[in-house]
Amino acid sequence: MTLQPLDAIQSYHAHIYFDGPDQRRIAEVLREEIGERFSVLIGRWHDGLVGPHTRPMYQVAFMPAEFARFVPWIMINRQGLAVLIHPNTGQPKADHLTHAIWLGEILDINASSLPDHHEPEPEIAPNTNPTVKP
Ligand code: ZN
């Protein structure tokens, strides 16, 4: 058995999925609220399917130091949206399929687009300027 150290986790992604116009409106509000509360890198909207994802979504990337604040907050505020949270350890296939946690509905992940190994992720440069206490 080979165990990985915690510092194998370079960063995390939360993928916020939405299905249809009602859920997209919820996703829009959540996106604003996340940006007001957390130091994260919010990715662009993917209204079409991209990468291994089988439902429209946007990505929220964050450093390990933000995990203990952001993940509990999205647990209790996701308003029924499916959320995938996965670490980035340089193993995209395992990170999405084996190391991930799901909130709500568990969606299909298209593993054929995920390599086994990947260069280390760059450090996350947040694009938010939080002013609201979570
Ligand atoms: Zn991701």
Side-chain angles (χ1 to χ4, degrees):
M1 179 166 62
T2 303
L3 299 178
Q4 298 194 77
L6 262 184
D7 65 8
I9 301 175
Q10 299 142 9
S11 60
Y12 292 92
H13 290 168
H15 294 274
I16 314 283
Y17 296 95
F18 51 93
D19 188 15
D22 290 349
Q23 286 205 337
R24 196 186 195 284
R25 276 189 287 276
I26 294 169
E28 288 168 12
V29 174
L30 277 180
R31 186 179 171 96
E32 294 297 317
E33 301 286 347
I34 290 166
E36 289 175 0
R37 285 167 176 75
F38 301 100
S39 186
V40 296
L41 177 64
I42 301 182
R44 61 191 181 85
W45 289 95
H46 292 288
D47 286 295
L49 300 184
V50 64
H53 304 284
T54 58
R55 184 175 289 180
M57 59 90 200
Y58 58 83
Q59 171 185 293
V60 179
F62 53 100
M63 294 301 289
E66 201 68 332
F67 185 98
R69 286 159 27 93
F70 175 61
V71 174
W73 187 89
I74 197 70
M75 280 177 169
I76 58 174
N77 288 295
R78 64 184 178 81
Q79 313 292 319
L81 301 189
V83 178
L84 168 68
I85 298 163
H86 69 79
N88 293 309
T89 71
Q91 308 166 79
K93 188 167 282 181
D95 287 343
H96 287 78
L97 298 179
T98 308
H99 303 154
I101 54 179
W102 285 92
L103 306 179
E105 188 182 355
I106 298 174
L107 306 178
D108 286 335
I109 289 288
N110 182 4
S112 65
S113 71
L114 291 168
D116 289 326
H117 296 283
H118 191 268
E119 291 299 301
E121 296 278 320
E123 184 141 330
I124 302 298
N127 61 358
T128 58
N129 191 13
T131 58
V132 177
K133 188 176 179 290

